[in-house]
Amino acid sequence: MLQPSIRTGDSLLETLPHWNKRPRWALAFTLCIALLWLPGAAGSTLNCHKTCICASNIVSCSKMNLTTVPTGLPLYTSVLDLSYNDITRLRSEWTPVKLLKLHNLLLSHNGLNFLSSEAFVYVKHLRYLDLSSNNLRQLDEFIFEPLVNLEVLLLYNNHISQIDRTAFSGMTNLQKLYLSRNHISRFPAELIKDKSRLEKLSLLDVSSNKIKILPVDELQVLPAWIRNGLYFHNNPLLCHCELYTLLAHWYIRKLNSAVDFKDDYTCLLPGLPKTQVGVFELSGEQMNCSTFKEADEEAFLEQTLILGCDTKHRDMVKIWTMPGNVVVKPGNNQTAKVLPDGGLQISPVRPEDSGTYTCLAMNEVFNETIYVVLKVHNFTMHGGGDSLNTAYTTLVGCLASVVLVLIYLYLTPCRCFCCPNKGKGEDSIHSSMLSVTPSHEDPVLKAEQNRHVAFIDSKDLQGQNGKLNPNGDEEDDEADAETGSLMKGKRKKSVAESISSVFSDTPMVV
């Protein structure tokens, strides 16, 4: 015999003690409240006819005023669009099952302000994640660690001010990271450093933030394929010539980050009030920075040199040509050879290696040509040191010569007026004291010297008052002899004049 069916409400009422005595409306109200508190109870079930649009493996629930992610998503879903809704919190249980085929997840324009640390555990195969235009304020440690296959992460137009240094750890396949239009004040250098950088990251956008200082030294040594996609324009950077040199070099290399946004790179001049100017204007009147020019490579004889082919894209096939359009090929008995990483090694360097080298880089969609000018010095590095030593020795010799000249000028022997025999009447000056000894015994040369030096052969050439007779005539000599005998007792008055002529640096010449 069939038993009467028991209604669900009655069965639950009997199992709860003392509830069978309460009114039925109170029980119904209590059950509704309990259902609201169950995890995921508030989430709507996916309806491909009303709430979402399902097209094969694409599920689009955009602009449906959803507050939670719909439940019951098909396992074959590969693209899930939840943009332009009101989903403010992404909890760990937003999908109770693993969506192994989901590779695109769009959550932009939702007002998201919370991300669970386990929000992406069940979607490890994501390759594209859009979290832009939300209210995220911080990125906690290891929050994206499960996304080992993610290639593109959009976080622009949020309120992010704090990023944990490990937030992007484990994202070994990440290629593009967009962090523009946030409140970031520290440049995330750990993402591009040699030891900690993401190996495949080729685009990092931190433009329109609050960054004031850049690690210029670390940015200068980055490969061109990273610098090509490194954007930091529209930040309150402080002006200095190193910043101008960095961007000027990038612009000459035609890197996209510098060429596409040249006018958007601005900085603040030091001092008050803060004045904003274009970075590329710093070579003018603003800070008078030196105009940047590409420097040539320099090498010395017999050394080993490696020329790099720094291309704007990775994994390109590289072909080198030497000066004279000589293609570098293996087995050509050349001193140059192409290394596995695309660099050109020259060993040993010879004088004829000077010139312009060309690197032709190619891949399936892009070609690039890089020119490297090499200047070889005609000596070894050790020889350059010898030249330095020779220059140093020459300098020391010059200084010694200057010292000797100063000693000659200021430390000459004591003059006769200070000699102890001054009062004995010996005031005559012997010609042998400063006589010039001829270097040759040629009588003509000797006579020529005697004719020009004033204090030699004074008896024959002395004129009035002990001075020289320019003409040397005999009649004048006799008159001078008579006058000299009369003036013998008065010669002491002319001692100073006589002494000045003796100790003069230049002999008196007639």
Side-chain angles (χ1 to χ4, degrees), residues 396-468:
V396 172
C398 292
L399 293 177
S401 301
V402 172
V403 172
L404 292 176
V405 171
L406 293 176
I407 292 176
Y408 173 73
L409 292 177
Y410 297 101
L411 298 179
T412 54
C414 181
R415 292 172 171 82
C416 289
F417 58 79
C418 65
C419 296
N421 297 328
K422 176 182 178 182
K424 296 182 181 180
E426 296 179 4
D427 54 353
S428 62
I429 300 174
H430 300 284
S431 61
S432 61
M433 293 175 60
L434 294 175
S435 62
V436 180
T437 304
S439 58
H440 301 283
E441 298 299 331
D442 190 351
V444 178
L445 179 60
K446 182 175 182 180
E448 187 70 19
Q449 290 178 348
N450 293 339
R451 188 174 68 87
H452 285 81
V453 180
F455 45 81
I456 296 178
D457 298 336
S458 58
K459 293 181 180 181
D460 297 334
L461 301 177
Q462 192 173 13
Q464 292 182 356
N465 296 328
K467 296 182 179 179
L468 295 177

Side-chain angles (χ1 to χ4, degrees), residues 63-362:
K63 297 181 180 181
M64 295 297 179
N65 297 323
L66 299 177
T67 57
T68 59
V69 180
T71 59
L73 293 172
L75 297 179
Y76 56 79
T77 303
S78 61
V79 178
L80 177 60
D81 185 1
L82 298 170
S83 60
Y84 293 93
N85 283 291
D86 296 318
I87 305 174
T88 59
R89 301 173 70 85
L90 192 63
R91 301 179 181 274
S92 58
E93 64 274 4
W94 70 270
T95 172
V97 296
K98 294 182 179 181
L99 300 176
L100 301 180
K101 296 184 178 181
L102 184 65
H103 57 75
N104 280 32
L105 177 60
L106 291 76
L107 284 164
S108 63
H109 298 277
N110 269 283
L112 270 174
N113 55 43
F114 173 77
L115 291 176
S116 171
S117 59
E118 299 179 354
F120 306 107
V121 173
Y122 284 172
V123 288
K124 293 183 178 181
H125 295 275
L126 277 180
R127 296 199 302 268
Y128 183 94
L129 176 60
D130 186 359
L131 296 172
S132 63
S133 300
N134 283 293
N135 293 325
L136 298 175
R137 297 184 179 275
Q138 65 181 27
L139 301 177
D140 297 329
E141 58 180 357
F142 304 109
I143 189 170
F144 299 113
E145 186 180 26
L147 302 177
V148 294
N149 296 299
L150 195 68
E151 298 175 358
V152 180
L153 176 58
L154 280 63
L155 289 166
Y156 63 85
N157 197 26
N158 275 278
H159 303 282
I160 301 173
S161 59
Q162 298 180 9
I163 301 177
D164 190 88
R165 294 179 181 271
T166 61
F168 305 102
S169 296
M171 306 180 72
T172 55
N173 287 292
L174 187 63
Q175 300 176 14
K176 299 179 180 180
L177 176 59
Y178 297 85
L179 289 167
S180 61
R181 295 189 176 276
N182 280 285
H183 303 300
I184 302 171
S185 59
R186 180 187 66 85
F187 184 84
E190 65 275 2
L191 300 178
I192 57 176
K193 285 184 178 179
D194 287 337
K195 295 182 179 179
S196 60
R197 76 182 183 199
L198 303 177
E199 291 296 329
K200 295 185 178 181
L201 187 66
S202 59
L203 189 149
L204 174 60
D205 186 359
V206 291
S207 60
S208 303
N209 277 281
K210 297 183 178 181
I211 301 173
K212 295 182 178 181
I213 301 177
L214 291 175
V216 176
D217 294 339
E218 297 179 1
L219 299 183
Q220 286 177 337
V221 298
L222 290 176
W225 60 269
I226 293 181
R227 290 178 288 158
N228 187 58
L230 184 57
Y231 299 87
F232 51 84
H233 53 277
N234 287 335
N235 275 285
L237 301 170
L238 300 179
C239 293
H240 51 86
C241 290
E242 289 77 9
L243 177 62
Y244 161 75
T245 302
L246 178 74
L247 286 174
H249 180 207
W250 293 14
Y251 187 79
I252 291 176
R253 283 293 316 273
K254 299 187 181 301
L255 301 182
N256 295 338
S257 54
V259 174
D260 296 344
F261 296 92
K262 178 183 178 182
D263 297 333
D264 295 322
Y265 283 99
T266 59
C267 61
L268 299 176
L269 291 174
L272 295 174
K274 298 294 185 181
T275 304
Q276 190 176 52
V277 298
V279 174
F280 289 92
E281 299 176 5
L282 297 181
S283 60
E285 298 179 357
Q286 302 295 345
M287 293 190 69
N288 197 24
C289 297
S290 301
T291 303
F292 178 81
K293 295 182 180 179
E294 287 282 3
D296 298 337
E297 291 282 346
E298 295 186 353
F300 301 92
L301 297 180
E302 300 180 2
Q303 78 170 100
T304 298
L305 178 68
I306 297 178
L307 301 178
C309 186
D310 199 10
T311 58
K312 295 189 293 184
H313 295 265
R314 342 177 32 178
D315 302 329
M316 302 185 72
V317 179
K318 300 173 182 178
I319 300 175
W320 282 90
T321 60
M322 301 176 64
N325 289 331
V326 179
V327 180
V328 180
K329 296 181 179 180
N332 280 6
N333 196 22
Q334 298 172 333
T335 58
K337 66 176 181 179
V338 181
L339 300 177
D341 61 354
L344 181 67
Q345 176 179 300
I346 305 175
S347 178
V349 174
R350 302 171 300 177
E352 56 268 24
D353 291 330
S354 294
T356 302
Y357 292 77
T358 305
C359 177
L360 304 175
M362 299 170 290

Side-chain angles (χ1 to χ4, degrees), residues 11-25:
S11 176
L12 183 61
L13 180 63
E14 293 177 358
T15 57
L16 297 175
H18 309 294
W19 279 87
N20 54 354
K21 299 180 181 180
R22 296 182 180 274
R24 293 181 178 274
W25 66 267

